[in-house]
Amino acid sequence: MEMKKIIVAIDGPASSGKSTTAKQLAKKLNCIYVDSGAMYRAVALYLLQNKIDFTEKKLLRKAMSEINIEIIPSKLKYENTIILNGEDVTKKIREPEITNYSSTIATNGLIRKRMVELQRKMAEIQSIVMDGRDIGTVVFPNADFKFFLIASIEERSKRRWLENQNKGLSSKTFDEIKEELAFRDKTDSTREISPLKKAVDAIEIDTTNLNIQQQVEKIYGIINEIFL
Ligand code: DC
């Protein structure tokens, strides 16, 4: 049976389980997954690499006209490959320096405008599950489904710490991770333009005591009941 086009927006703070949930949900819905945070990360990498002060309007405008970001979703692995001016930066944009700086540059209106244009374009012709901070509020205010994932900062820090351990990146202590998450929470939710916040019509899901499978089942269950 041919499924009608669907747009699912998943927002929430860092490490609330958005991306893992979104990937598995996309797989179940047989559509693509787009990680909008990766785009802000790519911009942060470009600005750092080229030593561009994003608060200098002229310099930023020039930089934005030179930046070419391609986000290539794979329906096979539900991963995104990120190409910045022809270079595959998928791994580089996960470095800690980029993680924190992406939150800082994402406060800028010009950068956001460009990213939102790219994000909307991706959904023109295909069904999509996109995660981020402003997907339900700004990017797709008419999304078919909007979910807002939350979890306590303790739980999110624990998840990030465990993730680092598993990846062999064990240099950061639990408290350092918690501090960085608190910094990003604050920067992302207090910025003037498109702050992280729950859309009025979004369904809030507290993942503190849920595992990934439970989160996915919960969200898929809601979509299945209403849409499929
Ligand atoms: O999802 P992430 O942690 O990879 O995102 C990195 C940063 O990008 C995040 O701290 C804030 C910014 N971001 C945003 O402002 N809007 C989005 N839709 C996605 C990410």
Side-chain angles (χ1 to χ4, degrees):
M1 193 179 72
E2 188 69 23
M3 199 180 88
K4 50 184 165 160
K5 187 168 165 253
I6 183 172
I7 294 182
V8 182
I10 302 187
D11 290 300
S15 289
S16 55
K18 295 185 305 290
S19 65
T20 322
T21 305
K23 274 180 212 169
Q24 296 195 15
L25 186 68
K27 191 173 180 181
K28 274 177 166 292
L29 294 170
N30 190 30
C31 65
I32 61 161
Y33 157 66
V34 175
D35 169 7
S36 68
M39 296 169 154
Y40 291 92
R41 286 171 179 267
V43 175
L45 176 66
Y46 182 88
L47 296 174
L48 273 183
Q49 274 179 341
N50 294 284
K51 299 190 173 61
I52 295 162
D53 177 358
F54 77 97
T55 62
E56 293 275 343
K57 268 192 183 157
K58 255 194 178 162
L59 291 180
L60 179 65
R61 235 181 244 130
K62 183 168 177 286
M64 291 313 285
S65 70
E66 287 165 359
I67 282 186
N68 182 25
I69 297 171
E70 286 168 83
I71 179 155
I72 308 172
S74 145
K75 245 196 180 183
L76 273 181
K77 281 165 64 203
Y78 294 91
E79 297 291 347
N80 290 169
T81 301
I82 318 297
I83 311 284
L84 172 63
N85 291 349
E87 187 199 344
D88 183 343
V89 294
T90 311
K91 280 219 176 86
K92 247 187 220 166
I93 58 166
R94 300 290 151 196
E95 284 168 13
E97 194 189 9
I98 304 298
T99 301
N100 291 329
Y101 197 51
S102 62
S103 181
T104 303
I105 62 100
T107 56
N108 182 279
L110 182 65
I111 295 175
R112 299 205 69 83
K113 190 167 171 276
R114 279 288 304 282
M115 297 305 109
V116 172
E117 278 165 15
L118 285 174
Q119 290 151 10
R120 288 187 179 147
K121 236 194 176 109
M122 299 192 78
E124 272 171 10
I125 47 156
Q126 56 200 337
S127 289
I128 209 163
V129 177
M130 190 178 287
D131 77 348
R133 305 292 189 288
D134 62 338
I135 311 305
T137 49
V138 175
V139 182
F140 302 127
N142 298 320
D144 299 288
F145 289 94
K146 299 178 184 179
F147 296 96
F148 194 78
L149 269 47
I150 56 161
S152 70
I153 188 149
E154 289 294 326
E155 176 61 25
R156 290 187 288 128
S157 309
K158 202 172 91 193
R159 288 177 190 167
R160 188 48 64 92
W161 186 80
L162 279 172
E163 203 180 305
N164 283 358
Q165 294 288 313
N166 290 337
K167 283 186 191 156
L169 306 165
S170 46
S171 59
K172 273 189 197 147
T173 65
F174 178 86
D175 285 339
E176 281 167 342
I177 289 174
K178 194 170 156 189
E179 226 169 83
E180 282 181 10
L181 279 181
F183 163 79
R184 284 214 285 156
D185 282 357
K186 187 160 183 256
T187 314
D188 295 346
S189 55
T190 60
R191 67 180 173 226
E192 249 173 67
I193 308 162
S194 314
L196 164 68
K197 75 167 187 236
K198 179 180 166 290
V200 282
D201 50 350
I203 300 167
E204 183 170 295
I205 297 188
D206 187 341
T207 72
T208 307
N209 298 308
L210 299 179
N211 62 33
I212 293 295
Q213 202 188 340
Q214 290 168 326
Q215 290 169 42
V216 176
E217 283 308 324
K218 201 165 181 172
I219 292 178
Y220 182 72
I222 294 169
I223 296 177
N224 197 21
E225 203 179 297
I226 302 173
F227 196 84
L228 302 178

